[in-house]
mmCIF file of all heavy atoms in Angstrom:
data_model
loop_
_atom_site.group_PDB
_atom_site.id
_atom_site.type_symbol
_atom_site.label_atom_id
_atom_site.label_comp_id
_atom_site.label_asym_id
_atom_site.label_seq_id
_atom_site.Cartn_x
_atom_site.Cartn_y
_atom_site.Cartn_z
ATOM 1 N N ARG A 7 50.739 205.889 -27.080
ATOM 2 C CA ARG A 7 50.486 207.333 -27.189
ATOM 3 C C ARG A 7 50.903 207.811 -28.558
ATOM 4 O O ARG A 7 50.144 208.688 -29.127
ATOM 5 C CB ARG A 7 51.382 208.071 -26.159
ATOM 6 C CG ARG A 7 50.640 208.463 -24.939
ATOM 7 C CD ARG A 7 51.574 209.465 -24.154
ATOM 8 N NE ARG A 7 51.756 210.682 -24.937
ATOM 9 C CZ ARG A 7 51.042 211.869 -24.634
ATOM 10 N NH1 ARG A 7 50.108 211.866 -23.730
ATOM 11 N NH2 ARG A 7 51.220 212.815 -25.386
ATOM 12 N N ARG A 8 52.008 207.411 -29.055
ATOM 13 C CA ARG A 8 52.396 207.942 -30.399
ATOM 14 C C ARG A 8 51.442 207.530 -31.427
ATOM 15 O O ARG A 8 51.166 208.240 -32.390
ATOM 16 C CB ARG A 8 53.848 207.418 -30.690
ATOM 17 C CG ARG A 8 54.874 207.900 -29.800
ATOM 18 C CD ARG A 8 55.028 209.347 -29.694
ATOM 19 N NE ARG A 8 55.549 209.866 -30.914
ATOM 20 C CZ ARG A 8 55.646 211.192 -31.139
ATOM 21 N NH1 ARG A 8 55.268 212.034 -30.301
ATOM 22 N NH2 ARG A 8 56.266 211.563 -32.312
ATOM 23 N N ILE A 9 50.944 206.238 -31.297
ATOM 24 C CA ILE A 9 50.052 205.781 -32.333
ATOM 25 C C ILE A 9 48.727 206.627 -32.305
ATOM 26 O O ILE A 9 48.143 207.023 -33.347
ATOM 27 C CB ILE A 9 49.723 204.212 -32.101
ATOM 28 C CG1 ILE A 9 51.025 203.503 -32.462
ATOM 29 C CG2 ILE A 9 48.582 203.797 -33.006
ATOM 30 C CD1 ILE A 9 50.867 201.992 -32.233
ATOM 31 N N LEU A 10 48.292 206.874 -31.023
ATOM 32 C CA LEU A 10 47.094 207.704 -30.860
ATOM 33 C C LEU A 10 47.362 209.046 -31.627
ATOM 34 O O LEU A 10 46.477 209.559 -32.259
ATOM 35 C CB LEU A 10 46.855 207.938 -29.437
ATOM 36 C CG LEU A 10 45.457 208.395 -29.109
ATOM 37 C CD1 LEU A 10 44.499 207.211 -29.315
ATOM 38 C CD2 LEU A 10 45.335 208.890 -27.603
ATOM 39 N N THR A 11 48.473 209.698 -31.399
ATOM 40 C CA THR A 11 48.753 210.977 -32.020
ATOM 41 C C THR A 11 48.750 210.785 -33.493
ATOM 42 O O THR A 11 48.192 211.647 -34.244
ATOM 43 C CB THR A 11 50.186 211.445 -31.550
ATOM 44 O OG1 THR A 11 50.270 211.442 -30.251
ATOM 45 C CG2 THR A 11 50.500 212.774 -32.148
ATOM 46 N N ALA A 12 49.223 209.664 -34.039
ATOM 47 C CA ALA A 12 49.330 209.499 -35.526
ATOM 48 C C ALA A 12 47.813 209.370 -35.960
ATOM 49 O O ALA A 12 47.575 209.983 -37.008
ATOM 50 C CB ALA A 12 50.074 208.265 -35.810
ATOM 51 N N ILE A 13 46.951 208.638 -35.337
ATOM 52 C CA ILE A 13 45.606 208.490 -35.729
ATOM 53 C C ILE A 13 44.917 209.787 -35.781
ATOM 54 O O ILE A 13 44.273 210.210 -36.764
ATOM 55 C CB ILE A 13 44.830 207.496 -34.766
ATOM 56 C CG1 ILE A 13 45.466 206.090 -35.024
ATOM 57 C CG2 ILE A 13 43.383 207.535 -35.103
ATOM 58 C CD1 ILE A 13 44.901 205.034 -34.042
ATOM 59 N N LEU A 14 45.178 210.596 -34.644
ATOM 60 C CA LEU A 14 44.638 211.993 -34.639
ATOM 61 C C LEU A 14 45.084 212.754 -35.769
ATOM 62 O O LEU A 14 44.320 213.506 -36.377
ATOM 63 C CB LEU A 14 45.086 212.595 -33.289
ATOM 64 C CG LEU A 14 44.193 212.425 -32.021
ATOM 65 C CD1 LEU A 14 44.880 213.000 -30.818
ATOM 66 C CD2 LEU A 14 42.845 213.109 -32.414
ATOM 67 N N CYS A 15 46.329 212.562 -36.064
ATOM 68 C CA CYS A 15 46.888 213.349 -37.214
ATOM 69 C C CYS A 15 46.288 213.086 -38.472
ATOM 70 O O CYS A 15 45.882 213.942 -39.271
ATOM 71 C CB CYS A 15 48.517 213.073 -37.255
ATOM 72 S SG CYS A 15 49.254 213.784 -38.654
ATOM 73 N N ILE A 16 46.050 211.787 -38.733
ATOM 74 C CA ILE A 16 45.395 211.389 -40.009
ATOM 75 C C ILE A 16 43.966 211.944 -40.014
ATOM 76 O O ILE A 16 43.472 212.446 -41.039
ATOM 77 C CB ILE A 16 45.460 209.762 -40.203
ATOM 78 C CG1 ILE A 16 46.898 209.358 -40.342
ATOM 79 C CG2 ILE A 16 44.549 209.416 -41.317
ATOM 80 C CD1 ILE A 16 47.112 207.960 -40.238
ATOM 81 N N PHE A 17 43.338 211.807 -38.899
ATOM 82 C CA PHE A 17 41.957 212.382 -38.843
ATOM 83 C C PHE A 17 41.894 213.854 -39.076
ATOM 84 O O PHE A 17 41.115 214.295 -39.781
ATOM 85 C CB PHE A 17 41.407 212.025 -37.369
ATOM 86 C CG PHE A 17 39.953 212.418 -37.341
ATOM 87 C CD1 PHE A 17 39.017 211.660 -37.956
ATOM 88 C CD2 PHE A 17 39.536 213.479 -36.532
ATOM 89 C CE1 PHE A 17 37.669 212.002 -37.764
ATOM 90 C CE2 PHE A 17 38.228 213.803 -36.403
ATOM 91 C CZ PHE A 17 37.318 213.078 -37.020
ATOM 92 N N ALA A 18 42.972 214.577 -38.482
ATOM 93 C CA ALA A 18 42.963 215.994 -38.792
ATOM 94 C C ALA A 18 43.182 216.340 -40.257
ATOM 95 O O ALA A 18 42.613 217.241 -40.751
ATOM 96 C CB ALA A 18 44.123 216.599 -37.889
ATOM 97 N N ALA A 19 44.054 215.435 -40.831
ATOM 98 C CA ALA A 19 44.276 215.665 -42.294
ATOM 99 C C ALA A 19 43.039 215.433 -43.059
ATOM 100 O O ALA A 19 42.734 216.228 -43.981
ATOM 101 C CB ALA A 19 45.393 214.639 -42.764
ATOM 102 N N LEU A 20 42.189 214.472 -42.650
ATOM 103 C CA LEU A 20 40.913 214.159 -43.207
ATOM 104 C C LEU A 20 40.021 215.404 -43.167
ATOM 105 O O LEU A 20 39.418 215.801 -44.126
ATOM 106 C CB LEU A 20 40.291 213.088 -42.431
ATOM 107 C CG LEU A 20 40.388 211.634 -42.956
ATOM 108 C CD1 LEU A 20 39.836 210.676 -42.035
ATOM 109 C CD2 LEU A 20 39.603 211.524 -44.289
ATOM 110 N N CYS A 21 39.957 215.860 -41.967
ATOM 111 C CA CYS A 21 39.081 217.075 -41.727
ATOM 112 C C CYS A 21 39.543 218.258 -42.494
ATOM 113 O O CYS A 21 38.743 218.936 -43.219
ATOM 114 C CB CYS A 21 39.130 217.553 -40.195
ATOM 115 S SG CYS A 21 38.546 216.206 -39.236
ATOM 116 N N LEU A 22 40.951 218.544 -42.557
ATOM 117 C CA LEU A 22 41.350 219.601 -43.299
ATOM 118 C C LEU A 22 40.990 219.410 -44.799
ATOM 119 O O LEU A 22 40.596 220.417 -45.361
ATOM 120 C CB LEU A 22 42.906 219.568 -43.189
ATOM 121 C CG LEU A 22 43.496 220.638 -42.218
ATOM 122 C CD1 LEU A 22 44.982 220.467 -42.153
ATOM 123 C CD2 LEU A 22 43.048 222.090 -42.605
ATOM 124 N N ASN A 23 41.080 218.187 -45.218
ATOM 125 C CA ASN A 23 40.821 217.923 -46.638
ATOM 126 C C ASN A 23 39.331 218.322 -46.911
ATOM 127 O O ASN A 23 39.123 219.045 -47.897
ATOM 128 C CB ASN A 23 41.002 216.434 -46.868
ATOM 129 C CG ASN A 23 42.054 216.110 -47.813
ATOM 130 O OD1 ASN A 23 42.438 217.028 -48.617
ATOM 131 N ND2 ASN A 23 42.399 214.836 -47.899
ATOM 132 N N TYR A 256 59.102 213.419 -44.936
ATOM 133 C CA TYR A 256 58.889 214.631 -45.708
ATOM 134 C C TYR A 256 59.506 214.585 -47.060
ATOM 135 O O TYR A 256 59.500 215.568 -47.880
ATOM 136 C CB TYR A 256 59.326 215.895 -45.013
ATOM 137 C CG TYR A 256 58.502 216.208 -43.740
ATOM 138 C CD1 TYR A 256 58.986 216.063 -42.582
ATOM 139 C CD2 TYR A 256 57.228 216.477 -43.894
ATOM 140 C CE1 TYR A 256 58.243 216.258 -41.348
ATOM 141 C CE2 TYR A 256 56.423 216.700 -42.761
ATOM 142 C CZ TYR A 256 56.918 216.617 -41.558
ATOM 143 O OH TYR A 256 56.206 216.803 -40.462
ATOM 144 N N TYR A 293 47.073 213.938 -50.857
ATOM 145 C CA TYR A 293 47.370 214.508 -49.570
ATOM 146 C C TYR A 293 47.130 213.540 -48.454
ATOM 147 O O TYR A 293 47.843 213.441 -47.418
ATOM 148 C CB TYR A 293 46.462 215.745 -49.414
ATOM 149 C CG TYR A 293 46.780 216.434 -48.103
ATOM 150 C CD1 TYR A 293 48.070 217.094 -47.914
ATOM 151 C CD2 TYR A 293 45.862 216.500 -47.086
ATOM 152 C CE1 TYR A 293 48.288 217.706 -46.692
ATOM 153 C CE2 TYR A 293 46.143 217.140 -45.907
ATOM 154 C CZ TYR A 293 47.298 217.799 -45.681
ATOM 155 O OH TYR A 293 47.637 218.301 -44.618
ATOM 156 N N PHE A 294 46.006 212.757 -48.651
ATOM 157 C CA PHE A 294 45.647 211.791 -47.655
ATOM 158 C C PHE A 294 46.770 210.691 -47.539
ATOM 159 O O PHE A 294 47.136 210.360 -46.384
ATOM 160 C CB PHE A 294 44.345 211.154 -48.053
ATOM 161 C CG PHE A 294 43.815 210.105 -47.070
ATOM 162 C CD1 PHE A 294 43.534 210.502 -45.813
ATOM 163 C CD2 PHE A 294 43.818 208.847 -47.428
ATOM 164 C CE1 PHE A 294 43.073 209.569 -44.871
ATOM 165 C CE2 PHE A 294 43.293 207.915 -46.392
ATOM 166 C CZ PHE A 294 42.995 208.215 -45.143
ATOM 167 N N LEU A 296 49.869 210.999 -48.327
ATOM 168 C CA LEU A 296 51.021 211.612 -47.779
ATOM 169 C C LEU A 296 50.954 211.696 -46.190
ATOM 170 O O LEU A 296 51.922 211.381 -45.528
ATOM 171 C CB LEU A 296 51.273 213.036 -48.275
ATOM 172 C CG LEU A 296 51.948 213.066 -49.645
ATOM 173 C CD1 LEU A 296 52.268 214.518 -50.100
ATOM 174 C CD2 LEU A 296 53.233 212.227 -49.623
ATOM 175 N N SER A 297 49.700 212.166 -45.758
ATOM 176 C CA SER A 297 49.574 212.224 -44.276
ATOM 177 C C SER A 297 49.734 210.940 -43.619
ATOM 178 O O SER A 297 50.388 210.802 -42.625
ATOM 179 C CB SER A 297 48.134 212.749 -44.015
ATOM 180 O OG SER A 297 47.930 213.937 -44.696
ATOM 181 N N ILE A 298 49.195 209.821 -44.210
ATOM 182 C CA ILE A 298 49.357 208.602 -43.573
ATOM 183 C C ILE A 298 50.839 208.211 -43.632
ATOM 184 O O ILE A 298 51.339 207.680 -42.602
ATOM 185 C CB ILE A 298 48.492 207.521 -44.444
ATOM 186 C CG1 ILE A 298 47.111 207.749 -44.064
ATOM 187 C CG2 ILE A 298 48.862 206.106 -43.978
ATOM 188 C CD1 ILE A 298 46.211 206.745 -44.727
ATOM 189 N N SER A 299 51.476 208.401 -44.712
ATOM 190 C CA SER A 299 52.963 207.810 -44.773
ATOM 191 C C SER A 299 53.739 208.670 -43.767
ATOM 192 O O SER A 299 54.637 208.106 -43.098
ATOM 193 C CB SER A 299 53.428 207.907 -46.203
ATOM 194 O OG SER A 299 53.403 209.208 -46.672
ATOM 195 N N VAL A 300 53.499 209.977 -43.624
ATOM 196 C CA VAL A 300 54.235 210.669 -42.645
ATOM 197 C C VAL A 300 54.007 210.228 -41.228
ATOM 198 O O VAL A 300 54.986 209.841 -40.458
ATOM 199 C CB VAL A 300 53.868 212.270 -42.629
ATOM 200 C CG1 VAL A 300 54.446 212.989 -41.507
ATOM 201 C CG2 VAL A 300 54.378 212.807 -43.924
ATOM 202 N N ALA A 301 52.703 209.861 -40.941
ATOM 203 C CA ALA A 301 52.426 209.381 -39.603
ATOM 204 C C ALA A 301 53.014 208.014 -39.266
ATOM 205 O O ALA A 301 53.593 207.817 -38.293
ATOM 206 C CB ALA A 301 50.829 209.280 -39.401
ATOM 207 N N VAL A 302 52.964 207.184 -40.314
ATOM 208 C CA VAL A 302 53.619 205.778 -40.176
ATOM 209 C C VAL A 302 55.062 205.910 -40.014
ATOM 210 O O VAL A 302 55.667 205.231 -39.160
ATOM 211 C CB VAL A 302 53.167 204.954 -41.430
ATOM 212 C CG1 VAL A 302 54.076 203.667 -41.406
ATOM 213 C CG2 VAL A 302 51.766 204.612 -41.479
ATOM 214 N N MET A 304 56.781 208.355 -38.787
ATOM 215 C CA MET A 304 57.038 208.857 -37.321
ATOM 216 C C MET A 304 56.970 207.867 -36.364
ATOM 217 O O MET A 304 57.892 207.761 -35.456
ATOM 218 C CB MET A 304 55.972 209.981 -37.048
ATOM 219 C CG MET A 304 56.094 211.236 -37.900
ATOM 220 S SD MET A 304 57.582 212.168 -37.311
ATOM 221 C CE MET A 304 57.345 213.753 -38.239
ATOM 222 N N ILE A 305 55.976 207.028 -36.493
ATOM 223 C CA ILE A 305 55.832 205.826 -35.523
ATOM 224 C C ILE A 305 57.004 204.918 -35.613
ATOM 225 O O ILE A 305 57.696 204.386 -34.720
ATOM 226 C CB ILE A 305 54.583 205.179 -35.709
ATOM 227 C CG1 ILE A 305 53.425 205.998 -35.209
ATOM 228 C CG2 ILE A 305 54.553 203.857 -34.879
ATOM 229 C CD1 ILE A 305 52.031 205.483 -35.502
ATOM 230 N N GLU B 117 48.564 218.421 -27.777
ATOM 231 C CA GLU B 117 48.370 217.294 -28.688
ATOM 232 C C GLU B 117 48.164 217.816 -30.031
ATOM 233 O O GLU B 117 48.654 217.309 -31.129
ATOM 234 C CB GLU B 117 47.095 216.526 -28.262
ATOM 235 C CG GLU B 117 46.998 215.164 -28.856
ATOM 236 C CD GLU B 117 48.256 214.209 -28.636
ATOM 237 O OE1 GLU B 117 48.809 214.393 -27.414
ATOM 238 O OE2 GLU B 117 48.625 213.562 -29.450
ATOM 239 N N ALA B 118 47.381 219.044 -30.123
ATOM 240 C CA ALA B 118 47.150 219.643 -31.456
ATOM 241 C C ALA B 118 48.530 220.042 -32.105
ATOM 242 O O ALA B 118 48.727 219.799 -33.350
ATOM 243 C CB ALA B 118 46.271 220.862 -31.308
ATOM 244 N N ILE B 119 49.425 220.491 -31.289
ATOM 245 C CA ILE B 119 50.748 220.833 -31.738
ATOM 246 C C ILE B 119 51.459 219.702 -32.363
ATOM 247 O O ILE B 119 51.998 219.632 -33.485
ATOM 248 C CB ILE B 119 51.652 221.555 -30.737
ATOM 249 C CG1 ILE B 119 50.957 222.970 -30.286
ATOM 250 C CG2 ILE B 119 52.978 221.749 -31.178
ATOM 251 C CD1 ILE B 119 51.671 223.634 -29.113
ATOM 252 N N ASN B 120 51.378 218.569 -31.594
ATOM 253 C CA ASN B 120 51.987 217.267 -32.054
ATOM 254 C C ASN B 120 51.350 216.780 -33.371
ATOM 255 O O ASN B 120 52.120 216.357 -34.288
ATOM 256 C CB ASN B 120 51.767 216.193 -31.028
ATOM 257 C CG ASN B 120 52.746 216.343 -29.879
ATOM 258 O OD1 ASN B 120 53.779 217.029 -30.006
ATOM 259 N ND2 ASN B 120 52.462 215.710 -28.749
ATOM 260 N N VAL B 121 50.061 216.934 -33.514
ATOM 261 C CA VAL B 121 49.363 216.547 -34.693
ATOM 262 C C VAL B 121 49.871 217.362 -35.912
ATOM 263 O O VAL B 121 50.276 216.840 -36.918
ATOM 264 C CB VAL B 121 47.795 216.614 -34.548
ATOM 265 C CG1 VAL B 121 47.197 216.628 -35.898
ATOM 266 C CG2 VAL B 121 47.426 215.520 -33.594
ATOM 267 N N PHE B 122 49.852 218.642 -35.680
ATOM 268 C CA PHE B 122 50.334 219.542 -36.730
ATOM 269 C C PHE B 122 51.819 219.309 -37.154
ATOM 270 O O PHE B 122 52.187 219.487 -38.283
ATOM 271 C CB PHE B 122 50.107 221.038 -36.336
ATOM 272 C CG PHE B 122 49.145 221.825 -37.185
ATOM 273 C CD1 PHE B 122 47.801 221.694 -36.877
ATOM 274 C CD2 PHE B 122 49.521 222.360 -38.280
ATOM 275 C CE1 PHE B 122 46.951 222.343 -37.711
ATOM 276 C CE2 PHE B 122 48.639 223.022 -39.157
ATOM 277 C CZ PHE B 122 47.351 223.022 -38.816
ATOM 278 N N MET B 123 52.592 218.887 -36.153
ATOM 279 C CA MET B 123 53.969 218.634 -36.404
ATOM 280 C C MET B 123 54.155 217.536 -37.461
ATOM 281 O O MET B 123 55.039 217.477 -38.167
ATOM 282 C CB MET B 123 54.490 218.157 -35.077
ATOM 283 C CG MET B 123 56.031 218.238 -34.969
ATOM 284 S SD MET B 123 56.517 219.835 -34.215
ATOM 285 C CE MET B 123 58.200 219.654 -34.342
ATOM 286 N N MET B 124 53.180 216.696 -37.500
ATOM 287 C CA MET B 124 53.317 215.500 -38.396
ATOM 288 C C MET B 124 52.775 215.795 -39.790
ATOM 289 O O MET B 124 52.768 214.945 -40.641
ATOM 290 C CB MET B 124 52.446 214.343 -37.755
ATOM 291 C CG MET B 124 53.138 213.599 -36.609
ATOM 292 S SD MET B 124 52.038 212.174 -36.338
ATOM 293 C CE MET B 124 53.200 211.169 -35.315
ATOM 294 N N MET B 125 52.178 216.962 -40.070
ATOM 295 C CA MET B 125 51.626 217.220 -41.261
ATOM 296 C C MET B 125 52.579 217.579 -42.305
ATOM 297 O O MET B 125 53.445 218.367 -42.044
ATOM 298 C CB MET B 125 50.524 218.301 -41.170
ATOM 299 C CG MET B 125 49.391 217.891 -40.330
ATOM 300 S SD MET B 125 47.881 218.455 -41.076
ATOM 301 C CE MET B 125 46.716 217.632 -40.023
ATOM 302 N N PRO B 126 52.456 217.109 -43.577
ATOM 303 C CA PRO B 126 53.307 217.556 -44.717
ATOM 304 C C PRO B 126 52.938 218.959 -45.012
ATOM 305 O O PRO B 126 52.033 219.197 -45.879
ATOM 306 C CB PRO B 126 53.048 216.632 -45.782
ATOM 307 C CG PRO B 126 51.870 215.725 -45.385
ATOM 308 C CD PRO B 126 51.417 216.144 -43.985
#
Side-chain angles (χ1 to χ4, degrees):
Chain A
R7 255 194 67 98
R8 299 300 291 175
I9 291 177
L10 199 72
T11 307
I13 292 173
L14 269 174
C15 175
I16 294 169
F17 186 71
L20 264 173
C21 298
L22 259 179
N23 244 343
Y256 293 114
Y293 183 67
F294 181 64
L296 279 187
S297 309
I298 289 186
S299 58
V300 170
V302 169
M304 292 286 190
I305 292 174
Chain B
E117 199 56 39
I119 293 174
N120 281 342
V121 165
F122 242 88
M123 199 92 183
M124 279 187 167
M125 290 219 174

